[in-house]
Amino acid sequence: MFFGGGGAGPPAPPRGRGRGPMTREEAQRLREEELAGQGHGKDCFIIPQANLDRFLPDGVTLPREPRKSNNLINILEVDDPKIIVSFHLMGQLHPLNSMLENPMVNSLDVHFNLSRNLLKCAQDLSAGEGYIFKNLEKDADYPYINYYVINKPREEAGQFYTNNKMASHEALNASKLGYSLAHSMDLYDEVATIARPPVDPAHKRPTTDYTGYIICIYQVFKGDDGEKFERNWLYWTGARMLYKNLPRNVGLKRLTLHKSATGPNVNYILLVECSHFLDNINQAANLLPVLRARICGYTGIFRIVESF
């Protein structure tokens, strides 16, 4: 279901590595085209109908006649893309025996190779898309996050999750690896999205080589995820502040809230995609201290380093 507000962008590129990185001049020209087209469409709220009662923002009401042209919010019903995603959050590697640690080995290189192997495993298990997010900050709590898109019915997605989790635990077995790390993997539903047209909810491939992400992670106990709490998600996630204050040059494309469907606690992950984040990173990063000052959850900035 879509709800209205302002912007346009380029279509997603084809899969694969058909061309090299864009030059800075090409990126600037693409950005100018995006800005010029932002008056032609409305930004959209995308909320699955089953989640309307919980994630339609507090204070927003649906119009009685959805197709009237003067409505503040325009509504369009679309087919449910039936997307379930999985995030594998991985903390820092710690050697089991620091006395025997090889000083010539970079633990981040070891971690990246592990993430690549886990990505290949998920691909072999028939995930639709897969990405490795690399943290752009030094000594980050989550150096890498693996993200999988599962275009399958919920039962089959559950089987993928079970098999992938077993394979991941085997790959990250501390006694075999020589390193320990805290990690968690869960299935997530996309419960609410703010997207800038053109909108394709079913695919997550970035539209430019300069795409970057702000990822915010929150956790609450089961039972604390009440309707009033969730209807105020724009505020406690920082989504409203980011939407209103991210510089236009950063190229906000979509802002998606995910809620965990597995695990003992309730996790929320806010994924903010910006098509020109990396070539305007200083402007974008200015908002991070404001997000972190709330002492609420985890916030980091990432880019994609591997995908299928």
Side-chain angles (χ1 to χ4, degrees):
M1 190 167 285
F2 291 72
F3 309 91
R15 291 173 179 260
R17 304 189 180 187
R19 53 153 294 157
M22 278 191 284
T23 65
R24 199 161 282 276
E25 291 75 18
E26 288 175 318
Q28 182 59 32
R29 187 163 63 249
L30 178 61
R31 185 72 195 115
E32 289 170 357
E33 290 172 0
E34 286 183 2
L35 291 174
Q38 282 188 357
H40 301 314
K42 290 186 175 182
D43 290 353
C44 305
F45 261 123
I46 306 173
I47 303 177
Q49 193 159 353
N51 293 327
L52 273 177
D53 288 343
R54 298 185 72 90
F55 292 98
L56 184 66
D58 204 25
V60 175
T61 56
L62 299 181
R64 297 185 179 212
E65 298 179 56
R67 298 186 181 277
K68 285 184 66 173
S69 61
N70 61 345
N71 282 328
L72 179 63
I73 297 176
N74 296 324
I75 298 177
L76 174 65
E77 256 190 78
V78 297
D79 292 334
D80 183 355
K82 293 184 172 58
I83 288 180
I84 301 174
V85 304
S86 178
F87 286 92
H88 191 179
L89 309 176
M90 291 175 278
Q92 296 182 9
L93 289 177
H94 299 285
L96 293 183
N97 189 333
S98 57
M99 299 293 292
L100 299 178
E101 184 181 11
N102 186 345
M104 303 299 290
V105 174
N106 186 328
S107 64
L108 283 177
D109 292 339
V110 175
H111 199 157
F112 181 49
N113 286 332
L114 282 170
S115 294
R116 292 178 69 181
N117 291 337
L118 293 173
L119 190 76
K120 178 65 168 61
C121 178
Q123 185 176 19
D124 292 342
L125 290 171
S126 301
E129 298 175 48
Y131 302 91
I132 298 176
F133 291 120
K134 179 182 179 180
N135 204 310
L136 299 179
E137 296 176 284
K138 188 178 179 182
D139 298 325
D141 290 344
Y142 298 103
Y144 294 97
I145 295 175
N146 281 25
Y147 169 66
Y148 311 117
V149 181
I150 311 161
N151 300 98
K152 297 177 182 293
R154 187 165 290 270
E155 185 175 336
E156 291 181 37
Q159 190 59 52
F160 164 86
Y161 165 71
T162 300
N163 294 338
N164 197 39
K165 192 168 186 177
M166 289 175 58
S168 297
H169 279 292
E170 179 66 22
L172 300 178
N173 185 310
S175 60
K176 294 181 180 179
L177 192 59
Y179 292 87
S180 64
L181 78 162
H183 66 105
S184 65
M185 180 192 298
D186 285 296
L187 289 178
Y188 288 78
D189 291 311
E190 295 185 348
V191 293
T193 296
I194 300 174
R196 187 148 290 168
V199 177
D200 183 2
H203 297 96
K204 311 302 178 186
R205 194 160 296 278
T207 57
T208 75
D209 297 324
Y210 294 94
T211 296
Y213 301 81
I214 299 173
I215 297 179
C216 304
I217 304 168
Y218 309 90
Q219 185 178 92
V220 301
F221 293 113
K222 284 193 173 176
D224 290 341
D225 55 334
E227 182 177 320
K228 184 176 181 181
F229 174 74
E230 292 189 332
R231 289 201 67 156
N232 282 283
W233 68 272
L234 287 175
Y235 293 90
W236 56 260
T237 62
R240 182 178 183 274
M241 187 270 286
L242 287 168
Y243 181 79
K244 289 172 67 70
N245 295 295
L246 272 172
R248 290 182 69 202
N249 286 341
V250 173
L252 177 65
K253 290 295 293 180
R254 75 175 109 202
L255 186 157
T256 301
L257 180 66
H258 305 79
K259 182 179 180 180
S260 60
T262 54
N265 296 312
V266 179
N267 297 332
Y268 298 93
I269 295 181
L270 182 71
L271 183 67
V272 183
E273 177 185 340
C274 301
S275 61
H276 286 267
F277 189 94
L278 298 180
D279 50 342
N280 294 279
I281 193 166
N282 290 335
Q283 296 180 56
N286 284 340
L287 292 175
L288 294 184
V290 181
L291 284 169
R292 290 170 175 163
R294 301 174 307 152
I295 318 179
C296 173
Y298 171 84
T299 300
I301 52 176
F302 296 78
R303 67 182 177 93
I304 289 174
V305 290
E306 191 91 7
S307 66
F308 66 78

